[in-house]
Amino acid sequence: MPYALLLPAALVLALVLGYPFARLVVLSMQKFGLKQQFGAPPDWVGAANYTTILQDTQFWHVLYRTVGFCFAAVVLTMVLGMLVALLTRRVGRVLRLALIVSLLLAWAMPPLSATVVWQWLFDTQYGLVNWLLTALGGDFHGHSWLTNPWSFFGVALIIVVWMGIPFVAFTLYAGLTQVPGEVLEAAQLDGANAWQRFRHVIMPFLRPVVLILTALSVLWDFRVFTQIYVLQKAGGISRDTNLLGVYAYRVAFGENKFDLGAAVAVVMVLITLGFTVFYLRQITRQEEL
Amino acid sequence: MSTLSAVPRTTARPGVPAPRPKKRPRVGDWAANTAAVVVVLIAILPVYWMINTSFQRGVDIQSDTPHLLPWNATLNNYRKAFAQGEFLHALRNSLTVTLLTVAAALVLALLAAVALSRFRFRGRTGFVVTVLIVQMVPAEAMVISLFKVLDGWQLVNTALGLTLVYLVFVLPFTIWTLRGFVAGVPVELEEAAMVDGCSRFQAFRRITFPLMAPGLVATGTFAFIQAWNEFTFALVLMNKPENQTLPVWLQTFNEGAKGTDWGGVMAGSTLMAIPVIVFFLLVQSRMTEGLVAGAVKG
C-alpha cells in the first residue's frame, strides 16, 4: 500500500531528475562537440573533460568568484537579517507593522522583476541612484555600474541580499518570540548588557534556526543565476562576471561545448552535495524523519 | 499576589520578576526607530519605484531629475506592455504551465505524504533522505542535460516538458510540507471513523482531507510561485517566441540596440508581480511558522 502511494512521485523524480542526472555524468565523460550535435556518436574520453576544466584558469577564477560572492552574500544576509529581526522586536507597534509589510513586499517580488527594477535604479543615464549620489555631492552623472566587475558584483550583491533578508528576518523574528521573556528579564536584572543578553541568552535559543538558515542561504546563493544573467546582458561584460551556474550555461549553450559544460555542472552538484550533507545532519539532529 | 495583579498582561509566574516597568524614552529608542524607518524605505523602494515608473510618461522617465511621484500618470505603458511581442501568449503559457505544475504537485505529493506519515515501511527513511537531497540539487546544474533529455523526448518548447521540470523541482518541498500537515491530523480520528463503518479511503477523505485543506492551499501556493517566477529553464526550454513564459517575455524589452523601454518593462514587471504578491500575502505566515516549528521545537 505505501509503495503504491509513493510510486507516482518516485517515478517522476527518477525519470525527470535521476535519468537526466545520469545522462549529465555520462555526458561529462564523453567528447561532445559540434560534430556530435549533427549525429556522430560521441567518443568516451573518461576524465579528460574534467582535466580540461580543472586546468583552465578561467574555471578556477569562476569558482573562487562564486565562493567569494556566496560568502559575502550569506554573511550580509544573515547579519542584516538578524539586525532587522531584533529591530522588529524592539520598535513600537506601528513601525513593526510597517517593517513587516515592507519586508513581505520585498520578499514577494519575483526575482526577475526585482532584478530588472534594481537595474533601472542603477541605470547609467536616468537611474535614481546616480541622481541621488550626485545630489548628495558626488559626480555620478552618467556613471555606469555594470561595466566594471567590482561594481557589477556590488549591484548583484545588493539584489541578492535585498531579496534574501526578508525570509531570514521573518524566521529569526518568529524564533525570537520563542525566547522566554523571564530569562531575558532575569539576565537584565543580573546586569547583563544588550550584547551579553544577545550572546548568552538569545543566541543559544536561536542556534538551530541560525544554522539551518545559514545552510539554506549558502545553497541558494551558490547557485545564483537569474540576477547575474540579466545584469550581464545589461552591462555587456560576461567574461569577468561569470558565476558557476552562468558559466556552465555559457560553455554549453554559448560555445556549444556540452561536454565541458556538463563537467562544470557535475562539479557544481558535487560541491552542493558536500554541503547538503552538513544541512541534513542539522535537520536529522532536530527532527525525526 | 496583590503586587502581581497590578502588572499588565500577567504572563509572569509567581516568583518570577514582573515584566520591566514602562520605559522612559531613551537614546536607544530614537536610534531603533530611525533604523526601522531606513529599513522600511530600503525594503519598499524598488517596489515603489517599479509602480511609480510604470505610470509615468516617457518624457518624465527620461528626464535628468527623476519624478518621485507619477504626477502625469498614464496607462500607456500598460497598453504598450499588452501590445509588446507576445504578452497574451506568454500569459497563457505561464498560466498553463503553472496550473499544471500546481495540480500535479499536489496530487503526487499528497499520495507520497500519506505514505510517509501514515505507514512505516522498509525504505521509508531512504526515500525521505533522497527527497531532501534532491531538494538541494542546484537546478541550474541540470539545465544542460534536461535540455538534451527533453529534446530527445520531443518535449522542448512544450508546456508538458516545462511542467515536468517544474514538477520535479517543487515536489521535494511539497512532499516535505504536506507530510507535516497529514501527520498533524491525529490518526485516531480516522480510526474512529473506520470503527463507525467508513472504509480507510472514506475515513481519509471525510476526516483528514478537510482538516488539512489549509496545508494544501499553502503548499499549492508555494508551487504556484515557484513555477510562475522561474526563469532559467523557461529561457532554455521555451526558446521560440510563441512559447515564452512571462519572465522570458519580460526580457524581450531589454534587447535591441535602442536601449530599454523602462516604462514598458516596469508595467510588465508589475503585471507579473501582482498575482505572486497576492498569493504570497495569503500564506506566508504559515510557511514561516512551519520552518520555525521544525527548527526550534523537537
Side-chain angles (χ1 to χ4, degrees):
Chain A
M1 176 73 169
Y3 296 108
L5 291 172
L6 275 184
L7 190 66
L11 212 63
V12 172
L13 285 174
L15 222 62
V16 189
L17 208 62
Y19 172 63
F21 183 69
R23 281 282 300 268
L24 181 72
V25 176
V26 170
L27 184 61
S28 75
M29 293 194 261
Q30 288 175 335
K31 171 100 192 100
F32 200 99
L34 210 49
K35 209 164 55 174
Q36 281 73 19
Q37 293 252 50
F38 290 101
D43 302 319
W44 191 259
V45 292
N49 290 325
Y50 291 95
T51 18
T52 310
I53 58 161
L54 293 181
Q55 281 170 356
D56 186 355
T57 48
Q58 177 85 359
F59 169 80
W60 289 101
H61 285 311
V62 171
L63 184 62
Y64 296 146
R65 215 180 281 143
T66 310
V67 172
F69 183 83
C70 178
F71 180 78
V74 172
V75 169
L76 277 175
T77 311
M78 289 307 297
V79 171
L80 294 176
M82 177 64 91
L83 288 175
V84 171
L86 290 168
L87 197 60
T88 312
R89 218 176 99 103
R90 179 84 161 64
V91 296
R93 189 155 6 126
V94 178
L95 269 177
R96 180 178 308 154
L97 191 69
L99 270 171
I100 290 177
V101 170
S102 58
L103 287 173
L104 271 179
L105 283 174
W107 190 8
M109 277 279 269
L112 190 71
S113 300
T115 309
V116 171
V117 178
W118 277 105
Q119 192 191 322
W120 165 223
L121 283 166
F122 279 96
D123 184 58
T124 308
Q125 256 186 302
Y126 305 113
L128 186 66
V129 174
N130 279 352
W131 174 79
L132 248 168
L133 290 175
T134 308
L136 290 175
D139 181 18
F140 284 87
H141 205 82
H143 178 79
S144 147
W145 294 87
L146 300 179
T147 48
N148 169 295
W150 286 100
S151 63
F152 176 97
F153 280 116
V155 174
L157 206 56
I158 290 177
I159 305 177
V160 170
V161 171
W162 179 82
M163 297 214 69
I165 284 179
F167 175 70
V168 170
F170 275 118
T171 314
L172 288 176
Y173 175 66
L176 278 174
T177 57
Q178 314 242 342
V179 179
E182 300 100 54
V183 183
L184 276 176
E185 302 296 340
Q188 193 169 25
L189 286 181
D190 289 344
N193 63 30
W195 167 250
Q196 286 168 329
R197 271 175 285 152
F198 175 75
R199 178 81 189 71
H200 298 291
V201 183
I202 295 180
M203 259 324 262
F205 261 95
L206 286 186
R207 226 181 101 81
V209 192
V210 169
L211 276 175
I212 288 190
L213 284 175
T214 311
L216 282 175
S217 303
V218 170
L219 289 165
W220 287 332
D221 294 345
F222 187 70
R223 58 166 72 169
V224 204
F225 182 95
T226 308
Q227 290 88 341
I228 302 296
Y229 179 85
V230 172
L231 290 182
Q232 281 183 341
K233 228 170 161 191
I237 49 164
S238 62
R239 209 189 128 82
D240 295 325
T241 51
N242 277 333
L243 297 187
L244 219 42
V246 187
Y247 182 65
Y249 168 85
R250 290 200 186 281
V251 170
F253 291 94
E255 302 175 26
N256 266 316
K257 293 174 184 157
F258 284 90
D259 42 6
L260 293 184
V264 175
V266 171
V267 172
M268 191 175 166
V269 173
L270 288 180
I271 297 175
T272 316
L273 285 185
F275 202 80
T276 303
V277 174
F278 167 80
Y279 171 75
L280 282 179
R281 287 248 291 280
Q282 291 302 327
I283 283 200
T284 46
R285 204 171 288 170
Q286 284 147 34
E287 212 174 331
E288 186 217 359
L289 298 174
Chain B
M1 293 307 284
S2 58
T3 48
L4 270 180
S5 61
V7 172
R9 293 220 324 161
T10 48
T11 43
R13 292 194 301 268
V16 171
R20 74 192 112 148
K22 206 107 189 93
K23 282 177 298 180
R24 296 163 277 120
R26 286 178 308 175
V27 187
D29 289 334
W30 185 83
N33 288 343
T34 314
V37 171
V38 172
V39 173
V40 168
L41 286 180
I42 295 176
I44 208 106
L45 174 75
V47 186
Y48 173 72
W49 206 242
M50 169 179 84
I51 299 170
N52 179 36
T53 309
S54 76
F55 286 117
Q56 284 182 11
R57 300 176 306 167
V59 277
D60 294 335
I61 294 172
Q62 302 200 338
S63 83
D64 285 333
T65 329
H67 293 239
L68 301 182
L69 286 165
W71 289 123
N72 293 305
T74 168
L75 284 175
N76 251 341
N77 295 318
Y78 287 89
R79 246 174 253 134
K80 265 191 299 181
F82 274 103
Q84 162 87 10
E86 312 267 348
F87 173 76
L88 289 175
H89 269 139
L91 179 66
R92 204 187 55 204
N93 294 335
S94 270
L95 275 176
T96 313
V97 172
T98 304
L99 295 179
L100 278 175
T101 304
V102 171
L106 285 184
V107 172
L108 297 194
L110 181 61
L111 296 178
V114 170
L116 291 180
S117 53
R118 287 288 193 252
F119 297 92
R120 306 271 128 187
F121 54 91
R122 263 176 70 91
R124 186 177 163 283
T125 312
F127 185 83
V128 173
V129 171
T130 312
V131 160
L132 284 172
I133 290 178
V134 164
Q135 192 180 349
M136 295 305 145
V137 172
E140 287 67 27
M142 297 296 295
V143 169
I144 298 165
S145 66
L146 268 169
F147 175 80
K148 293 223 145 286
V149 168
L150 290 178
D151 196 29
W153 294 344
Q154 317 249 310
L155 287 178
V156 169
N157 275 311
T158 64
L160 179 64
L162 197 59
T163 303
L164 280 173
V165 172
Y166 290 174
L167 181 59
V168 295
F169 285 110
V170 298
L171 210 44
F173 182 85
T174 41
I175 293 177
W176 186 245
T177 7
L178 277 186
R179 184 203 63 112
F181 282 107
V182 177
V185 180
V187 73
E188 289 78 17
L189 288 180
E190 278 180 49
E191 283 164 2
M194 281 158 77
V195 170
D196 289 342
C198 280
S199 71
R200 185 158 206 159
F201 176 71
Q202 282 173 325
F204 180 81
R205 193 173 60 87
R206 296 202 186 150
I207 308 291
T208 309
F209 192 73
L211 284 175
M212 56 175 299
L216 285 170
V217 173
T219 318
T221 306
F222 168 81
F224 181 96
I225 293 174
Q226 293 298 310
W228 185 262
N229 285 347
E230 206 283 333
F231 173 69
T232 316
F233 281 99
L235 176 76
V236 175
L237 295 178
M238 304 297 243
N239 49 32
K240 287 193 187 145
E242 68 269 26
N243 292 324
Q244 284 167 351
T245 57
L246 285 177
V248 184
W249 164 81
L250 204 56
Q251 277 292 96
T252 59
F253 285 98
N254 261 325
E255 274 162 327
K258 281 186 301 182
T260 309
D261 168 15
W262 287 113
V265 182
M266 293 303 128
S269 304
T270 310
L271 289 173
M272 198 176 99
I274 289 169
V276 178
I277 291 180
V278 170
F279 277 117
F280 195 85
L281 295 181
L282 292 176
V283 296
Q284 63 74 30
S285 65
R286 200 171 290 279
M287 294 203 282
T288 351
E289 271 166 27
L291 191 96
V292 174
V296 176
K297 292 168 193 158

